Amino acid sequence: MTHQLSSPDFHGEEKSEQLTSIGQIKPELYRLRQGDQGDGKQGDTCGKISFLLRYAFNTEQLVVKILKALDLPAKDANGFSDPYVKIYLLPDRKKKFQTKVHRKTLNPVFNETFQFGVPLAELHARKLHFSIYDFDRFSRHDLIGQVVVENLLDFSEGTGEKPIWRDIVEGTAEKADLGELNFSLCYLPTAGRLTVTIIKATNLKAMDLTGFSDPYVKASLVCEGRRLKKRKTSIKKNTLNPSYNEALVFDIPNENIENVSLIIAVMDYDCIGHNEVIGMCRVGSDADGPGREHWTAMLANPRKPIEHWHQLVEVDSVTSATTSPKPHIVVDSPHSE
C-alpha cells in the first residue's frame, strides 16, 4: 500500500535554500551529475531536479524523496512560477503522488517523501516519471518539463543518501489530467425513479495550493439545454481520491426517460470564493461514447445498478452539447435543493 509521508499543509518557500549566484551552483551540479545524465535528450532543458532514491527490502517499497529544483523557467507574468511535482511509477499511471505547491519561485525546495509498493522482481520493468507543473488556480496547469528515471535496480543496493540530479526536459502540452469518476445508474420504470450512486473519484486535479482539493459531486438533470433538477454529495476535504457511496435520486416518468440526460460535475469547494469545476462528464441517450453506453446499459437492465468509470473532461466539452430550446417536460422530485 502506498502513502504520502509529508504533511498536506502549505508552507511558504524556504528562502535560505534559494541560490542567487550562478557561480555558486554550477560546480555542485556538475559534480553530482557525473554519470547521472537525464533520459530525455530530444527536448530543451528547463532547469534541474534533485531527489533521493532507495529500495526498502523489508516492505518492498521504492522510497522517493524529492529534494528541490533549480533554474525553472518563469511561467507567470510576475517573472516566477508556482511549481509542484507529480510522480508516477510507470507503466502504472493510475497511482500518482504530488508535492505541495510553492509560490513565486524558480528554485523550490520540496523535501517530500513518497513510497511506491513494488516487488523487487518487478523493479527492472518500471520507470520513475517526474512531471513538473506550474500551478494556476483558474486555468489548466502548465507543464514545465519531465524527467524519466530508468534502471531502478541500480538504486536498490544503495543507501539512498546521495542526491541524484537530472535535467528537466521541456514537455509538450499534455491532455488535461482532471481525474476519473466512478458511479452507478439504476432506473425503476414503474416508480419512475433514477438513482445515481456516486462511488468515488481518483486522481483529481489539485485546485488548492496545498496540492489537494475539497471535492464534491453535483448531478444536474438536463433536457434539451434546460437544467431541471440538481443534487449534490457531501464535501470531502483535502483529497484527490475521495470516496462517497452516496445516492442522488431523481423522479423521472418512464415516458420522459429517453429525453433527458445527466451532467455530472466534480466541484472544488471554496469557503471564501466561488466553487470551481474540476471536471465533468455526461450520460444520456444523446451523450458521446462512454456516456451513451452507460445510459443504454442502464435502460437495458431496469432495477439493476450499472457501474462505470468516466474520464472527467473540461467544462466546454460537456456544456456545448446542451444548448437547445427549452422543452415542456414534467419531472419532479421530493429531494430538490
Side-chain angles (χ1 to χ4, degrees):
M1 180 177 180
T2 55
H3 60 281
Q4 182 173 337
L5 302 180
S6 58
S7 167
D9 295 333
F10 170 72
H11 299 286
E13 298 81 65
E14 301 179 41
K15 299 292 185 183
S16 61
E17 291 287 336
Q18 296 185 11
L19 304 176
T20 57
S21 169
I22 293 179
Q24 286 178 286
I25 64 175
K26 285 301 180 184
E28 178 190 14
L29 293 181
Y30 286 129
R31 182 170 66 253
L32 290 172
R33 285 175 54 223
Q34 222 167 9
D36 280 328
Q37 297 299 319
D39 294 275
K41 299 181 176 63
Q42 293 85 359
D44 294 330
T45 58
C46 42
K48 304 175 188 301
I49 190 168
S50 173
F51 53 93
L52 301 175
L53 275 184
R54 67 180 179 87
Y55 187 76
F57 289 89
N58 57 334
T59 56
E60 293 193 316
Q61 290 179 321
L62 181 68
V63 182
V64 185
K65 183 174 184 179
I66 301 176
L67 299 175
K68 57 186 174 181
L70 290 175
D71 302 330
L72 297 179
K75 291 288 187 178
D76 300 332
N78 59 14
F80 293 99
S81 292
D82 300 325
Y84 67 94
V85 182
K86 286 184 186 179
I87 54 172
Y88 304 85
L89 190 60
L90 300 178
D92 181 14
R93 294 188 68 90
K94 290 281 188 183
K95 191 67 179 179
K96 69 180 177 184
F97 294 115
Q98 70 182 53
T99 66
K100 297 186 295 290
V101 177
H102 288 252
R103 295 296 305 276
K104 298 180 181 178
T105 179
L106 304 180
N107 302 291
V109 176
F110 298 104
N111 286 329
E112 295 188 50
T113 302
F114 307 95
Q115 297 179 351
F116 291 95
V118 54
L120 181 63
E122 296 180 11
L123 201 58
H124 73 282
R126 311 298 289 272
K127 298 179 184 181
L128 194 61
H129 185 279
F130 297 80
S131 293
I132 300 87
Y133 285 89
D134 171 50
F135 175 89
D136 193 316
R137 180 70 176 86
F138 298 106
S139 65
R140 183 182 303 183
H141 301 182
D142 293 324
L143 177 65
I144 294 174
Q146 301 171 323
V147 171
V148 178
V149 182
E150 301 180 337
N151 303 317
L152 294 176
L153 268 176
D154 295 348
F155 301 97
S156 65
E157 300 297 332
T159 60
E161 296 177 356
K162 180 181 178 181
I164 301 163
W165 284 91
R166 291 290 169 94
D167 288 334
I168 299 169
V169 179
E170 185 178 13
T172 56
E174 291 183 333
K175 181 181 177 182
D177 186 8
L178 304 178
E180 296 178 294
L181 181 64
N182 181 220
F183 60 90
S184 69
L185 300 174
C186 181
Y187 186 62
L188 281 62
T190 52
R193 180 167 299 152
L194 171 63
T195 302
V196 184
T197 302
I198 307 297
I199 301 170
K200 59 184 174 180
T202 61
N203 298 329
L204 296 179
K205 173 185 173 182
M207 301 293 282
D208 301 329
L209 290 173
T210 59
F212 294 96
S213 294
D214 299 324
Y216 67 95
V217 180
K218 181 172 70 174
S220 300
L221 185 67
V222 177
C223 181
E224 297 182 15
R226 183 184 176 191
R227 294 179 189 246
L228 304 172
K229 296 288 180 182
K230 61 182 178 180
R231 308 280 178 270
K232 58 185 178 181
T233 67
S234 60
I235 300 165
K236 305 298 179 181
K237 304 288 283 186
N238 294 322
T239 179
L240 301 179
N241 300 284
S243 292
Y244 297 99
N245 295 310
E246 298 181 33
L248 310 178
V249 179
F250 297 89
D251 287 345
I252 309 170
N254 193 29
E255 60 269 22
N256 295 134
I257 191 66
E258 292 282 359
N259 302 317
V260 299
S261 61
L262 285 171
I263 292 179
I264 300 180
V266 181
M267 310 287 295
D268 175 50
Y269 172 78
D270 194 322
C271 61
I272 300 174
H274 295 292
N275 298 343
E276 298 287 335
V277 179
I278 298 174
M280 310 176 82
C281 63
R282 186 163 173 259
V283 291
S285 56
D286 57 349
D288 294 328
R292 181 188 301 143
E293 293 168 10
H294 196 177
W295 193 262
T296 302
M298 174 198 74
L299 294 178
N301 296 272
R303 296 173 294 280
K304 179 182 178 182
I306 305 296
E307 176 186 339
H308 280 202
W309 280 94
H310 292 262
Q311 184 73 42
L312 298 175
V313 299
E314 294 179 324
V315 177
D316 292 345
S317 303
V318 173
T319 55
S320 60
T322 61
T323 56
S324 299
K326 294 182 179 180
H328 177 72
I329 183 172
V330 178
V331 179
D332 195 16
S333 172
H335 307 281
S336 56
E337 295 179 341

